[in-house]
Amino acid sequence: NMVVRVFNAASVTVFVKFGTSAVTAATTDLPIPPGGVEIFAAGAATYIAGITASGTGTLYATPGFGA
């Protein structure tokens, strides 16, 4: 199963969404707080989108395989 470790290196919350190349994130999607790390089962998704409510930031996504 494809999993993705997502690290929010920003000083603001980043909202993320997984999907196809057309995926777009909104501030109603999954929040990751500043400095937060989450691991997601990506399923068939091959892209991740992120957005902040204000400001900018860096989001790191590391793919892998796990149970």
Side-chain angles (χ1 to χ4, degrees):
N1 297 334
M2 172 64 84
V3 295
V4 180
R5 177 185 180 269
V6 179
F7 167 58
N8 178 7
S11 60
V12 295
T13 298
V14 175
F15 300 87
V16 298
K17 186 173 185 178
F18 291 87
T20 66
S21 60
V23 68
T24 310
T27 55
T28 54
D29 290 321
L30 296 165
I32 301 179
V37 176
E38 297 287 344
I39 298 177
F40 298 98
T46 53
Y47 289 84
I48 182 173
I51 191 170
T52 63
S54 64
T56 61
T58 301
L59 194 66
Y60 294 96
T62 307
F65 290 91

